[in-house]
Amino acid sequence: MKQIIKNFNKYKFLLSELVVKEIKLKYRRSYLGILWTLLEPLLTMIVLSVVFGSFYGRSDKTFPIYVLTGRLLYAFFSNATKSAMKSIRTNGQMLKKVYVPKYIYPLASILSQYVTFLISLIVLVGVSIYLHIKPTIYLLEAIVPLLVLFVMVLGVGLILATLAVFFRDMEYLWGVILMMIMYCSAIFYDPERIIKTGHGWILQYNPLYSIILNFRNTVMDGLPLDMNALLYSIGFSVAALIIGMWMFYKKQDEFILNI
Amino acid sequence: MGKVVINVDHLGVRFLMSSEKVDNLKEFVIKRINRQINYKQFWALKDVTFNVEQSDRVGILGLNGAGKSTLLKVIAGVMKPTEGIATTKGRIAPLLELGAGFDLQYTGAENIYLYGAVLGYSKEFIKDRFKEIVDFSELGDFINVPVKNYSSGMKSRLGFSIATIVEPDILILDEVFAVGDAKFRKKSEKKIKSMFKTGVTVLFVSHNIEQVKTICNKAILLEKGTLIAQGDVNEVCEIYENKINR
């Protein structure tokens, strides 16, 4: 354990270099640069609010916030797990030549996505002010679902990174699964609609929805955290992290033979 | 005489090769059900034992497929041996296929920090040596141009400059003089020779026997994964030459 921490300290600088690199390169070739992080969720929110708001008759004025919170969290989950999955293969050339703790690569891609995600939360602040949503004391609790989300993404990311080394079609498979998760997370529809049809269990057992629910409670509904949802999402995330670390650790020595 | 810095003891590396490469889930599931996956064993290295003492310069000889690169990967810590051990003391600077680890979108300057970080150096250290690296690489203003626009010679010059700027304890050279123009090659040979004075231990892989003879004082010879000769560089080179000419 001590050895692992010592090793981590040695490669801390590499981790920060990689995080900075991914953020820098992502926006280097565009005129608006990092502004895209803000513009992209804002535009999607407008599209989704218009489509689902006017066509489905949701005229509720907080609906844009509802869509935006769901979409921001889902987009982070989807982007970060995808890039963590690819990280080992993209950096394969490096892994083959120089010794570097291998977990640095998935960790760096998730961290860089997390940083862009946190920056994009500025949009949420802006839209909330624009729509006169009054912050409550519970807003402070919003940090809890965000931390749980990070742990969950790290766990799922490590599992996917390990699998993707051995099975190249994981990328396509995960794309499909992500789409399924999106439709099961009540991002742009009212959860009541699903619960009414008797399929409420879909939401109840979806850990990502538990996190989205708690985030919405604290930032827009002025409600405290839902303890059931919180415990479920924490349990799932910790389990995913343990499984992910275990799989990664077990298989990391074989990576080099397969990339 | 000197203390042992690299200890390779009964080292073996086994590869499992499935007769057909299965690298996707679909095929894996289908073949698993039909029980069609057969693994063949292949020993890239078998029972290799040798020691390297400090400030020794060891040439590693052998034909293609003899296991030279696998051996270097195990010593560099990139690959884990199947059996036996390989222990090293001190900082290792691998000069394997220069410049392979660059990010093409990044400029030369940014890559210096990135590559340095990969080799495990701190930010302050790289900052201190930054100018020295740029000067040695002779890139001049090109240092602020993305690496994707570099010629292969420029890339290897930069890679060489970063990797040798430190005083490593163990330097791994894998066919590094094959790139760059004659002028830079001379300069880099000079640089490496100057490093010998600081007591660096060198592992050198090359197919050029003359080069091995000028750089190394000892050598080992691998054939199909086993060690068949070790000792003084001239003796081992002779054995190797006899093998080629036979």
Side-chain angles (χ1 to χ4, degrees), chain B:
Chain B
M1 50 160 216
K3 65 171 194 225
V4 175
V5 284
I6 302 175
N7 176 27
V8 176
D9 191 15
H10 296 284
L11 186 79
V13 174
R14 183 186 59 194
F15 290 122
L16 285 179
M17 298 194 303
S18 49
S19 33
E20 285 165 77
K21 181 99 182 133
V22 176
D23 62 0
N24 63 65
L25 201 57
K26 186 186 77 193
E27 277 181 35
F28 181 77
V29 172
I30 294 171
K31 296 217 163 139
R32 203 59 198 257
I33 293 168
N34 298 336
R35 294 166 190 235
Q36 273 178 355
I37 302 183
N38 306 311
Y39 289 108
K40 260 189 225 151
Q41 285 192 11
F42 167 73
W43 288 89
L45 288 174
K46 183 80 183 142
D47 207 18
V48 174
T49 303
F50 66 93
N51 284 329
V52 178
E53 289 171 351
Q54 194 177 9
S55 66
D56 266 352
R57 303 179 301 276
V58 180
I60 299 174
L61 298 167
L63 300 171
N64 284 336
K68 300 185 297 287
S69 297
T70 311
L71 181 63
L72 290 186
K73 278 180 182 163
V74 173
I75 291 174
V78 174
M79 204 181 259
K80 285 254 164 77
T82 318
E83 54 175 43
I85 47 161
T87 49
T88 54
K89 287 198 187 85
R91 184 189 285 281
I92 302 179
L95 265 182
L96 314 145
E97 294 162 59
L98 291 172
F102 288 144
D103 191 296
L104 297 181
Q105 306 291 323
Y106 248 28
T107 67
E110 287 166 320
N111 264 306
I112 291 179
Y113 281 96
L114 183 66
Y115 204 70
V118 167
L119 295 178
Y121 304 128
S122 71
K123 189 173 192 167
E124 294 72 36
F125 185 88
I126 303 168
K127 210 180 248 168
D128 284 348
R129 308 288 176 105
F130 185 80
K131 205 178 163 304
E132 212 181 316
I133 297 172
V134 178
D135 287 348
F136 191 84
S137 67
E138 299 174 4
L139 282 170
D141 290 339
F142 279 103
I143 203 72
N144 292 317
V145 170
V147 168
K148 63 178 172 189
N149 299 334
Y150 280 23
S151 70
S152 55
M154 286 159 91
K155 263 187 245 170
S156 51
R157 259 148 58 195
L158 185 61
F160 184 89
S161 312
I162 300 169
T164 53
I165 206 68
V166 288
E167 282 103 42
D169 301 302
I170 300 167
L171 188 63
I172 297 179
L173 304 168
D174 189 356
E175 299 279 1
V176 283
F177 298 118
V179 281
D181 56 16
K183 191 171 143 248
F184 192 78
R185 198 151 65 220
K186 256 197 186 131
K187 191 172 160 186
S188 50
E189 274 186 40
K190 215 171 116 193
K191 169 86 187 174
I192 284 180
K193 280 190 179 146
S194 81
M195 292 170 85
F196 293 168
K197 289 191 195 105
T198 63
V200 69
T201 309
V202 179
L203 292 179
F204 183 63
V205 171
S206 175
H207 289 289
N208 184 335
I209 292 179
E210 287 313 308
Q211 231 169 29
V212 173
K213 277 182 183 164
T214 52
I215 285 188
C216 305
N217 61 348
K218 288 188 180 167
I220 61 173
L221 177 56
L222 291 170
E223 191 181 60
K224 288 182 186 144
T226 48
L227 188 74
I228 54 171
Q230 60 174 320
D232 180 72
V233 64
N234 291 318
E235 288 168 23
V236 177
C237 281
E238 206 173 306
I239 302 172
Y240 182 54
E241 273 170 334
N242 285 339
K243 281 213 172 286
I244 303 171
N245 297 329
R246 205 162 10 137

Side-chain angles (χ1 to χ4, degrees), chain A residues 244-259:
Chain A
M245 277 165 42
W246 179 77
M247 276 175 73
F248 197 86
Y249 182 77
K250 274 265 168 197
K251 287 287 173 191
Q252 61 177 355
D253 294 335
E254 291 173 37
F255 285 0
I256 187 172
L257 306 174
N258 287 282
I259 41 179

Side-chain angles (χ1 to χ4, degrees), chain A residues 51-102:
Chain A
V51 171
F52 290 93
S54 42
F55 298 169
Y56 288 86
R58 289 270 315 236
S59 48
D60 172 0
K61 82 170 172 118
T62 58
F63 188 62
I65 296 276
Y66 182 86
V67 170
L68 186 61
T69 45
R71 217 209 78 90
L72 279 173
L73 267 57
Y74 170 79
F76 165 64
F77 179 80
S78 138
N79 293 339
T81 48
K82 268 194 275 185
S83 71
M85 178 167 61
K86 289 181 193 149
S87 62
I88 297 291
R89 178 151 305 146
T90 349
N91 294 294
Q93 280 306 312
M94 207 73 229
L95 284 170
K96 277 185 187 173
K97 304 221 162 68
V98 192
Y99 168 79
V100 168
K102 297 184 181 60

